Amino acid sequence: MNASFRHDDHAPLRVAMLARVVFPLHGYGGIERHVFHLVTHLTRLGVAVTLFVQEADPQRVAGSDAASQAITQGLARVVYLRYDYTSPALPPNGVVGRQFNYPWYTWHLGRVAAAAVRRNEVDLVHSQGLCATGYGFIRQRDPLLRQVPFVANPHGMEEFRTPDWRKWLAYAPFRSLYAYGHRCADRAIATDACTRHDLPRYLGVDPSRVSVIPSAIDVEECLGFVSPALRSQLRHRFGLAESALTLLSVGRLERNKGFHVMLAALAQLRHELPPTWRWLLVGNGKEESALRDEAATLGLAEQITFVGRLDDAELHSLYEEVDLVVHPTLYEGSSLVTLEGMIHRKPMIASAAGGIPDKVFSGRNGYLVRPGDVEDLAAKLRLALARREQWPAWGEESARIVRTTFDWPVVARKTLNLYRELLV
């Protein structure tokens, strides 16, 4: 490394975090929360993070909640960039809008980050998702920038996993940009050990440049949302006191989440389930009407509750009131929903998709299921019901797995260790 860019071991490590969105300024999704927790936990470890994100609603920036303050008032310096370059009549994150906005955003983001590196304000650059592309392109053409380590995290890579041919075509430009940007990095992060080979396969990343750092949840934050009063309200609202078995699934109501597979499996088990069983389905989405119709056709409508969207306190309080969490997804990234159910000490039945096999272990904390296989899901539900006396032990094992491997303090330290390795 050039002496002018050598990091002073006695000074805070300076990291440029390249992202598009962060919780709570831009929403509540998985990537938004990932960026928030990564930035805040690295800061607690003494890292000086500059966060680059798209412009936010001024009301959210000025918000008084603790999460907004953590981002905007001292835990991270924030640099805002324009994202929407299209007509006001065009949704900025629609299929067409993203084709224009994201490439322009990542290009301008790359230029701003490169300028900060050249001013010797940054010791390491870390990108999230497609934000690797612009900086990677500029870095490949500037030997000075290549002296500063570059880490890239592609996250779940849904653009490479969708079975919908229309989405596959729409995502074609993004797949190309994703692959290029991550090949430019010194290290590309696989969010689960069982998916590390996806980066060479889908992105063409050299296997020697792949590091495994899990996606995580903040255990104390999740458990802190639980409210005895809310638990009582939810029990009454959904009639859970009268339920002999309560199943819970959480996710967008879209075809790829596999909830239609769950309906078919439950139909097979209707005579083996307790008379007062319930399935609570939390989330909104375009498949809701079709799922309701299918539940009615199968004669399951009375046992199934479409809960809609819940806020964090409601959701985490509800986890405490159910018996078994089922995640029948057809394809998946790392699956934060699975971790949420696990930290609430729940036995899990989940598809062997994406990073889930690193979290759910058959016979230890639940069962893995072949994605999209109705017969296998019905069989695993039947097997779990036959071993219900083991559910408390499975739940404790779920929580142990999260606390030792997928809690943010653990994952932030692993990220910092990777930074230090690259800076040697």
Side-chain angles (χ1 to χ4, degrees):
M1 183 181 292
N2 187 295
S4 63
F5 282 101
R6 190 178 300 278
H7 173 63
D8 182 351
D9 291 336
H10 300 291
L13 176 62
R14 302 168 302 171
V15 172
M17 190 67 65
L18 312 187
R20 187 176 71 83
V21 290
V22 61
F23 167 82
L25 303 182
H26 305 98
Y28 301 85
I31 291 181
E32 287 91 338
R33 292 178 186 273
H34 179 96
V35 175
F36 170 79
H37 286 298
L38 178 59
V39 167
T40 54
H41 281 275
L42 285 174
T43 303
R44 292 171 195 173
L45 293 174
V47 178
V49 180
T50 299
L51 175 62
F52 297 79
V53 292
Q54 76 173 58
E55 295 171 339
D57 183 333
Q59 291 184 344
R60 288 199 178 192
V61 174
S64 59
D65 60 280
S68 293
Q69 292 178 11
I71 287 295
T72 61
Q73 297 181 19
L75 284 184
R77 186 168 75 89
V78 184
V79 176
Y80 294 103
L81 294 94
R82 178 181 174 186
Y83 170 71
D84 188 1
Y85 293 88
T86 54
S87 163
L90 193 65
N93 284 310
V95 173
V96 177
R98 291 184 71 204
Q99 306 290 333
F100 290 97
N101 291 327
Y102 227 135
W104 273 109
Y105 177 79
T106 189
W107 170 247
H108 288 294
L109 174 62
R111 292 177 59 196
V112 172
V117 174
R118 294 186 186 110
R119 292 192 300 267
N120 196 22
E121 297 174 355
V122 173
D123 300 309
L124 182 142
V125 176
H126 188 161
S127 69
Q128 306 292 329
L130 196 58
C131 295
T133 307
Y135 181 75
F137 181 86
I138 297 168
R139 184 178 188 260
Q140 288 296 96
R141 287 151 182 80
D142 188 338
L144 196 65
L145 299 181
R146 293 200 296 273
Q147 296 176 29
V148 172
F150 176 30
V151 176
N153 186 340
H155 291 278
M157 300 191 296
E158 285 83 0
E159 291 84 354
F160 294 84
R161 304 179 193 276
T162 177
D164 186 328
W165 66 268
R166 292 162 298 187
K167 286 187 176 180
W168 179 262
L169 288 176
Y171 286 153
F174 294 101
R175 291 196 298 274
S176 176
L177 295 172
Y178 248 113
Y180 176 82
H182 288 82
R183 288 197 302 270
C184 295
D186 298 306
R187 290 290 188 277
I189 293 176
T191 52
D192 294 281
C194 62
T195 62
R196 69 175 302 150
H197 300 297
D198 286 350
L199 275 65
R201 174 187 175 190
Y202 292 126
L203 306 179
V205 174
D206 184 333
S208 67
R209 293 189 175 193
V210 177
S211 295
V212 177
I213 300 180
S215 286
I217 62 171
D218 190 310
V219 168
E220 298 310 316
E221 178 187 79
C222 290
L223 298 181
F225 283 124
V226 176
S227 159
L230 262 179
R231 289 182 61 177
S232 177
Q233 292 173 20
L234 292 164
R235 267 197 311 274
H236 177 74
R237 175 180 169 187
F238 299 120
L240 301 184
E242 296 78 37
S243 175
L245 171 68
T246 303
L247 312 175
L248 174 68
S249 295
V250 180
R252 296 184 308 276
L253 302 189
E254 297 180 357
R255 195 73 175 174
N256 64 284
K257 292 302 180 183
F259 296 132
H260 61 292
V261 179
M262 179 68 168
L263 281 172
L266 290 172
Q268 290 192 13
L269 297 173
R270 72 174 76 234
H271 300 301
E272 302 174 53
L273 295 167
T276 56
W277 69 272
R278 305 289 304 283
W279 179 34
L280 304 181
L281 185 50
V282 177
N284 295 321
K286 61 185 179 182
E287 282 290 305
E288 180 172 347
S289 177
L291 290 169
R292 285 182 179 274
D293 290 345
E294 190 170 357
T297 299
L298 294 171
L300 302 176
E302 291 187 7
Q303 287 80 26
I304 298 171
T305 300
F306 290 84
V307 175
R309 186 184 178 278
L310 298 179
D311 64 28
D312 287 327
E314 291 171 324
L315 176 60
H316 287 282
S317 295
L318 183 60
Y319 274 119
E320 293 288 326
E321 294 299 317
V322 304
D323 300 304
L324 178 69
V325 175
V326 185
H327 192 47
T329 183
L330 303 185
Y331 65 94
E332 192 77 351
S334 187
S335 188
L336 295 180
V337 166
T338 300
L339 293 178
E340 287 178 348
M342 289 169 63
I343 199 53
H344 288 281
R345 306 174 313 283
K346 299 304 168 187
M348 305 293 301
I349 293 181
S351 298
I356 295 175
D358 278 356
K359 303 171 179 68
V360 177
F361 301 88
S362 291
R364 279 178 53 190
N365 67 324
Y367 288 105
L368 288 172
V369 178
R370 290 188 296 272
D373 190 325
V374 174
E375 300 293 333
D376 193 37
L377 179 54
K380 296 298 171 51
L381 284 166
R382 183 180 295 113
L383 192 57
L385 289 169
R387 299 184 177 180
R388 191 165 180 177
E389 75 282 355
Q390 298 181 25
W391 288 9
W394 289 359
E396 292 302 321
E397 178 65 3
S398 284
R400 188 198 67 79
I401 291 168
V402 176
R403 287 186 178 277
T404 57
T405 307
F406 300 101
D407 193 7
W408 262 116
V410 175
V411 171
R413 286 193 177 278
K414 192 166 186 177
T415 304
L416 181 55
N417 289 339
L418 173 62
Y419 293 169
R420 287 170 173 162
E421 173 191 328
L422 292 171
L423 286 162
V424 170

